[in-house]
Amino acid sequence: MGRVRAPGDKSISHRALIFGALAQGLTRIEGLLEGDDVLRTAEAMRRFGAQVENLGGGSWQVQGQGGLAEPDDIIDCGNAGTGVRLILGAAAGYDLAATFTGDASLRGRPMNRVMKPLRDMGATFLGRSGGRLPLTLKGGGLKAISYRLPEPSAQVKSAVLLAGLNAQGLTQVIEPEATRDHTERMLRAFGAEVRVEDRPDGRYIDLAGGQGLTGTAIRVPGDPSSAAFPLVAALITPGSEVTVEGVLLNVLRTGLFETLREMGADLTLSHVRDEGGEQVGDVTARYGPLKGVDVPAGRAPSMIDEYPILAVAAACADGVTRMRGIGEMRVKESDRIALMATGLAACGVGVEEEPEGLIVVGRTGGNHGVQGGARIETHGDHRIAMSHLVLGLTSEAPVAIDEAGMIATSFPGFGTLMAGLGADIFPS
Ligand code: S3P
C-alpha cells in the first residue's frame, strides 16, 4: 500500500547522456536513472571527450564538444545493450577507433544487428565470432543508407539514425512495426530535423546528415518498465493499492498496461500531463481478480521488456495467457523466454515454451495460490530477478533468487522501495 516514484526511464537516460555529448553546449538532465547501465554510458561519454557531471539529486550536466573524440581506453558498457548499441552508432560517424566490451551477459549478445547497417554506411569492425563483444570500431567517412529493420529494435533504429547525423546524404530507417521513438523525439529536442511518415508498409524515418545538435534541458520521466514491478505486485497481492507517480505514458511503451486492463486489472491513470514533450501520469493499481488473455503479437515492441512480469501476473490469473511473437526476448540480458519458463515451472506454475512464445496456465478457478518455494537462476538478469521476487509476494512458500546485485542496473533501491510498500523482501 502506498505511493512511490519510479526511477528515471532507462531508454531516455542513456539517450540524454549520448545526445548531450554529441551536442554543442550545455545539456542539463533532471531525474536521470542512476543505475549501473546508465552510469556506464556517463563514463563512456567522458571517455569520448564530454564533460559529464553529477550535480546531485538526479541532476546531471553534460558539456558536449559538438562531436566525439577518440577514447584512450576500452569502453566497458557493463550490462547495457542499449548503451553499447547506441554508442556504436553515435561513434561510427567520427574518424576514430574505439574498443567496446561488457559483462558476461553483454559479451554474449548479438551486435551484428548494428554492425550490419553501420558497415553498409562505411564503418569497419573487428570483433569476436558471431558478432560478439569485445569489438573494435573504426568510424568516419559514412554514407547514408536506407535500412529496413529486419527485427523490431529501437536500438538498431537509433544506432543507424545516430550514425546518420554524420553521414553524407539522407539516412532512412523503415520500421515494419513501430518501436519506441525516444531517439526521434530527442533528436528534435536537440534541434535536428527528423521526418516521420506512416505508410502502408511501415514507418519511414528520414534524417539528413550534417546536422549539428545543440544542448538542451531534459527531464527524464519515470520508467514504465520499472513501474511495472510495484504495480503488478499490487494487482496480485490481496488488499493492495499502489500508486506510481510520474510514469512515462508514451503509447509505444504502454503495451503492458493495455494487456493488464484486458486481463481485468484495476489500473487507473491520474494527473496525466505533458512533461518535456512526453506524456506522463500517475498509475494506480488495486488488487483484484485477473483472467488469462491472448496477447496480440503486434503488441510486442511496446512491452518487450515487460513480458517477464506479465508472465507473473498471468501465473496469478484465472485461465491461460498466450504470449506470441516474442522471439526478441531470447536475446535480451538473458534468454527470458527460457528463464521465465524454468522459473515459473519451478514455482509450480503450468508453462509451455515455444520458439517465439510463452504460454502460462494460471490458477484455474480454484483459490489456491502459486506454490513457490524455488530458488531461481537469474543468469544475472535484473528483470528475471525482480519478476520472481514479485511472484514470491503471493506464493505459498517464499521464492528465492540466486543473485540480487544486478537489480541496480535498472532499478536501484528496488528492495527498499518494495519494503516501503509492505513487501517482505530480504537477503537470504
Ligand atoms: C531499448 C530498446 C529495446 C529494449 C531495451 C531498451 C532502447 O531493445 O528491450 O531495454 O532504449 O532503445 P531492442 O531495441 O533491442 O528491442
Side-chain angles (χ1 to χ4, degrees), residues 77-99:
C77 288
N79 192 241
T82 307
V84 73
R85 294 200 180 107
L86 267 59
I87 297 170
L88 281 169
Y94 296 93
D95 182 15
L96 54 79
T99 300

Side-chain angles (χ1 to χ4, degrees), residues 140-154:
L142 301 190
K143 293 236 171 16
I145 56 166
S146 173
Y147 192 65
R148 177 175 280 272
L149 293 181
E151 60 283 296
S153 167

Side-chain angles (χ1 to χ4, degrees), residues 10-12 14-15 82 85-86 109 113 152-156 158 180 182 304-305 328 332-333 336 383:
K10 186 150 71 77
S11 293
I12 294 181
H14 281 297
R15 286 165 174 77
T82 307
R85 294 200 180 107
L86 267 59
R109 295 179 68 184
R113 50 176 59 199
S153 167
Q155 295 178 359
V156 178
S158 302
R180 63 191 72 193
H182 309 307
I304 192 64
D305 292 336
E328 278 293 300
K332 296 296 175 189
E333 285 83 331
R336 288 180 172 162
R383 297 200 205 281

